[in-house]
Amino acid sequence: MLSNLTLFALAASLSTASAAVYQGFNYGSTFTDGSAKTQADFQNEFTTAKNLVGTSGFTSARLYTMIQAGTASDVIAAIPAAISADTSLLLGLWASGGPDAFNNELTALRAAISTYGASLASRVAGISIGSEDLYRVSPIGIAAKAGIGAGPDVVSNYIAQVRSTIANTPLSGAPVGHVDTWTAWVNGSNNAVIQNSDFIGMDAYPYFQNTVANSIDAGSALFLEALANTTAAAAGKPVWLTETGWPVSGPTENLGVPSLANAKTYWDQVGCAVAFGKYNTWWYALRDAAPTTPSPSFGVVGSTLSNTPLYDLSCSANTISSSSSASSSKSTTSASSAASSTSSVASSIGASRIASAQAGVTSVAGSGPIVVSADSSLSAMAAAATGASASRVASSGATPSTASAAPGAAGLGGAAAGTGAPVAPASGGVNTTASSGNSSTSAKPSASTYTGGAAILSGTAFSAVGLLVAVVAAL
């Protein structure tokens, strides 16, 4: 069982993450037709985000690459655009293109520092080395033909290279970390990346968790489960919410139905009540439907930039109070109530998975029963969440049950159906040049990214981790 000291230490670490909060959207380097975004394109998007009706504070942008689309190593035009629009940046270096491609990313990073200096440094929230690379080399990523990834040793090495590159420059104080799916973070084989990161960027999409009850009614609970498990695995490092959202259109994933109404509900229950103002958050996405609409599509605005969003983005008093009410539960008594409440949530969102689990029930570090997915790639998740070694968690080693990779439509990411070839995402695109071979993509995970889910932490283990989320909500 996680001790109270551990719980409050983790809660304290998250409170520091909310001290200076960044809030914005994800932005890729190309449009859905593969054409490169210009400085004016980026600046128009950043300005739109800052002036969305019903919102305030969306003044940050997450990038996936340092390289301007269509070039070998020129600095991405988003940087001068951000300086002009006074938008902060979570910089990204694509890490799955091989050493030569990463050297091009470093070349662009050096050029950006040399050209923009303090004007850039004052706007950098952090630097992410890669995006979902660990997922793509995992068994479920390989089975899903999610494209080329990179392992923990490679990502850790690249993190070290970036730290060396920014040393004694205006960016020397920038946090350096990695962004990946929450299922990758709770896999103990990736602990080296956690140890080498200043922050943990978590991507979570309940809509894609199509092997569990993933209706919009369960969306916030599934998100909180992902956040709790990632936080427990993060070794006290701050967790940043780097991608999440609910699609406005597209295919149904089990009980996950895209619609404007559901996207609004998820925005209210996850964005307003959990993320905004509490965690560094980059929502997916401002716009992913220009000039064509991907399937699914997550944009809060349509193909034409407009300050008027597709659905109401205002955070109502009722939504905010659901978060604020948690703030009154800082006492030991109310914390106990939160534990009981979280145990109930665990039962409701885990029932279908427990019933269908192909692996047995085991106990990890005396924490109580844990149902482990038959997916061998996820067998270390419960261990990561409780601090136990992966070898102590039972796993059947069975081939993971994965959904077909979503169609290779622009904007989705993952793989073109049945081909294994990375697709060109709508808002991110694949930055491929003949000279560099660099393929940087803001790939949206396919449904199979989350197939199998995480180990279900029932009993005291999940209650303790869930309690952490309740405590964090009060910070």
Side-chain angles (χ1 to χ4, degrees):
M1 178 177 177
L2 296 177
S3 68
N4 287 338
L5 180 61
T6 301
L7 283 172
F8 288 104
L10 287 168
S13 74
L14 286 179
S15 69
T16 62
S18 62
V21 178
Y22 293 95
Q23 184 172 292
F25 294 98
N26 288 264
Y27 299 85
S29 61
T30 70
F31 293 106
T32 58
D33 60 1
S35 60
K37 291 181 183 178
T38 66
Q39 180 177 338
D41 292 326
F42 281 114
Q43 192 162 336
N44 287 338
E45 290 184 335
F46 298 161
T47 301
T48 297
K50 294 172 73 171
N51 293 287
L52 285 170
V53 174
T55 74
S56 63
F58 282 85
T59 58
S60 192
R62 177 187 170 221
L63 307 178
Y64 294 83
T65 177
M66 291 297 300
I67 299 174
Q68 176 64 13
T71 74
S73 58
D74 291 354
V75 177
I76 188 168
I79 290 179
I83 293 172
S84 296
D86 195 19
T87 293
S88 63
L89 294 168
L90 174 53
L91 298 176
L93 286 78
W94 191 249
S96 288
D100 290 342
F102 194 75
N103 283 336
N104 289 336
E105 293 279 353
L106 292 175
T107 296
L109 176 61
R110 293 187 191 98
I113 296 171
S114 175
T115 303
Y116 301 106
S119 295
L120 170 62
S122 64
R123 292 172 173 82
V124 172
I127 306 174
S128 173
I129 315 308
S131 179
E132 302 190 356
D133 311 85
L134 303 175
Y135 155 68
R136 289 193 298 275
V137 298
S138 71
I140 53 174
I142 293 170
K145 300 180 180 179
I148 298 171
D153 292 344
V154 171
V155 174
S156 295
N157 177 264
Y158 288 168
I159 289 173
Q161 289 187 47
V162 168
R163 284 209 172 95
S164 177
T165 298
I166 65 175
N168 302 312
T169 77
L171 263 64
S172 61
V176 180
H178 174 69
V179 169
D180 225 298
T181 63
W182 70 271
T183 55
W185 288 125
V186 297
N187 185 331
S189 65
N190 296 321
N191 282 347
V193 178
I194 294 175
Q195 294 167 4
N196 287 294
S197 294
D198 295 323
F199 67 87
I200 305 303
M202 184 192 82
D203 294 356
Y205 291 89
Y207 161 75
F208 284 123
Q209 292 184 240
N210 61 10
T211 61
V212 303
N214 66 333
S215 70
I216 189 60
D217 293 338
S220 60
L222 288 172
F223 179 85
L224 286 172
E225 181 186 20
L227 177 57
N229 290 342
T230 301
T231 300
K237 304 294 179 70
V239 176
W240 295 3
L241 309 182
T242 42
E243 283 187 39
T244 195
W246 194 277
V248 297
S249 64
T252 296
E253 292 290 349
N254 190 25
L255 302 180
V257 179
S259 71
L260 293 174
N262 287 348
K264 163 62 175 171
T265 296
Y266 192 78
W267 177 275
D268 286 348
Q269 295 182 352
V270 173
C272 297
V274 179
F276 304 149
K278 303 177 184 67
Y279 292 85
N280 292 335
T281 301
W282 291 269
W283 200 262
Y284 196 89
L286 175 69
R287 179 174 67 159
D288 63 357
T292 59
T293 302
S295 180
S297 175
F298 288 77
V300 301
V301 300
S303 58
T304 301
L305 279 180
S306 170
N307 293 341
T308 303
L310 295 175
Y311 53 91
D312 181 11
L313 301 182
S314 60
C315 291
S316 68
N318 288 339
T319 301
I320 296 172
S321 68
S322 69
S323 175
S324 299
S325 63
S327 299
S328 63
S329 59
K330 289 186 177 181
S331 67
T332 304
T333 301
S334 55
S336 176
S337 298
S340 175
S341 170
T342 305
S343 180
S344 297
V345 171
S347 297
S348 64
I349 66 179
S352 62
R353 278 169 286 179
I354 293 172
S356 61
Q358 297 174 6
V361 176
T362 187
S363 179
V364 179
S367 62
I370 294 179
V371 178
V372 183
S373 167
D375 179 352
S376 60
S377 73
L378 302 178
S379 64
M381 290 182 178
T386 58
S389 65
S391 62
R392 298 181 68 178
V393 184
S395 173
S396 69
T399 301
S401 170
T402 60
S404 299
L412 179 62
T419 68
V423 302
S427 67
V430 176
N431 177 22
T432 304
T433 64
S435 58
S436 70
N438 180 39
S439 178
S440 59
T441 162
S442 68
K444 200 75 268 86
S446 65
S448 51
T449 302
Y450 301 99
T451 299
I456 308 308
L457 303 185
S458 60
T460 54
F462 186 87
S463 295
V465 176
L467 172 59
L468 171 62
V469 174
V471 173
V472 169
L475 299 174

